[in-house]
Amino acid sequence: MSRKALRGRCERALGVRPSDHYLTLRLRHGADLLRHTAMPVSDIARASGFETLAGFSRAISNKLGVSPSAVRKMARAARMVTAYA
């Protein structure tokens, strides 16, 4: 299948370009690791397919509106509230 055909099928099926869909999957994986592990953010960046911590941080901030450390802090706070509720 050509790149053009793949892009067309992806846009029809998902409403986005393949590269945007792939980025969303990588960011979702990274956010899950931030929320559920104690891995260093730099390791999470690499595990999510980013070459640099800066690129990962920028992408998370653009997508979620907060930094990776804020994602982790919010998840930790939510777990504490749930534990004491």
Side-chain angles (χ1 to χ4, degrees):
M1 174 182 307
S2 71
R3 290 180 125 195
K4 187 175 180 179
L6 175 63
R7 183 176 177 169
R9 285 184 184 193
C10 188
E11 287 178 350
R12 282 190 297 278
L14 303 173
V16 295
R17 297 180 310 200
S19 59
D20 292 337
H21 180 66
Y22 183 59
L23 176 60
T24 297
L25 294 175
R26 291 168 49 211
L27 291 173
R28 188 176 297 153
H29 177 67
D32 285 344
L33 291 174
L34 287 167
R35 290 182 188 109
H36 302 292
T37 72
M39 288 173 64
V41 179
S42 58
D43 290 350
I44 291 173
R46 281 190 296 279
S48 301
F50 289 85
E51 291 184 20
T52 65
L53 174 57
F56 175 69
S57 295
R58 189 171 36 257
I60 284 282
S61 295
N62 288 341
K63 187 74 168 182
L64 301 179
V66 294
S67 69
S69 61
V71 171
R72 181 166 274 168
K73 287 177 186 175
M74 287 186 283
R76 191 176 303 132
R79 282 192 302 273
M80 290 176 62
V81 168
T82 303
Y84 293 105

